[in-house]
Amino acid sequence: MSAKDRYHDAVKTALLKEAWNITADPLRLKFEDEDEVRIDLGAERLLAAERDNEKIAVEIKSFLSESALFDYHAALGQFLNYRLVLQSVEPDRKLYLAVPLIAYEMFFQRPLAKASVQTYGVKLLIYNPIEEEIVLWKD
């Protein structure tokens, strides 16, 4: 069983407030015969204009250790591996890295973080863990 992040329920509530339907908690995906990844949440939302479903997977991070850079290194490694598996197994699902607003304001505005997010195409979901709301989607 995978450990849930401290803000797992806050992000789940935030997605429900924006009319997302949580379809998996966690989203388990097999890669080839030996590996399985567990992304924190899978969600879908009906796109009224297109009469189609928008599908996402969300990996939730708290950034609560003493080093945001260390937390980011671990999160980026997970994100890149999860995205690789999603591209193989569910290519229509977009992967987001959920980060708390304070981490976005204090760490993700730094030059290295900005360059890394841009270079690796990291999609961010910025959430307020107290209000349990999504503040910003960054594609």
Side-chain angles (χ1 to χ4, degrees), residues 36-56:
E36 178 184 275
V37 299
R38 296 178 185 179
I39 304 172
D40 289 322
L41 293 173
E44 294 181 10
R45 181 170 63 180
L46 181 65
L47 297 174
E50 298 177 17
R51 297 190 184 278
D52 199 3
N53 283 348
E54 181 179 12
K55 295 180 181 179
I56 62 172

Side-chain angles (χ1 to χ4, degrees), residues 15 18 21 29 33 51 67 73 76 91 116 119 124 132 139:
L15 287 167
E18 291 204 356
N21 181 27
L29 302 170
D33 292 331
R51 297 190 184 278
S67 171
H73 286 163
L76 180 62
S116 176
T119 297
L124 296 174
E132 298 184 334
D139 282 355

Side-chain angles (χ1 to χ4, degrees), residues 56-122:
I56 62 172
V58 180
E59 182 59 23
I60 303 163
K61 295 298 174 199
S62 297
F63 285 85
L64 295 174
S65 80
E66 291 185 23
S67 171
L69 185 58
F70 177 83
D71 288 347
Y72 181 63
H73 286 163
L76 180 62
Q78 260 186 317
F79 181 90
L80 294 174
N81 280 331
Y82 291 176
R83 186 172 64 193
L84 179 108
V85 172
L86 274 174
Q87 288 171 345
S88 173
V89 178
E90 291 194 35
D92 59 335
R93 191 181 294 271
K94 291 181 185 175
L95 177 62
Y96 285 87
L97 181 65
V99 299
L101 179 59
I102 189 72
Y104 179 72
E105 291 174 340
M106 301 298 291
F107 176 74
F108 284 86
Q109 302 310 309
R110 292 165 40 180
L112 177 60
K114 282 182 164 182
S116 176
V117 165
Q118 182 176 6
T119 297
Y120 298 113
V122 179

Side-chain angles (χ1 to χ4, degrees), residues 5-19:
D5 186 86
R6 176 181 281 184
Y7 297 132
H8 182 96
D9 290 337
V11 173
K12 189 174 178 178
T13 298
L15 287 167
L16 292 170
K17 285 181 178 178
E18 291 204 356

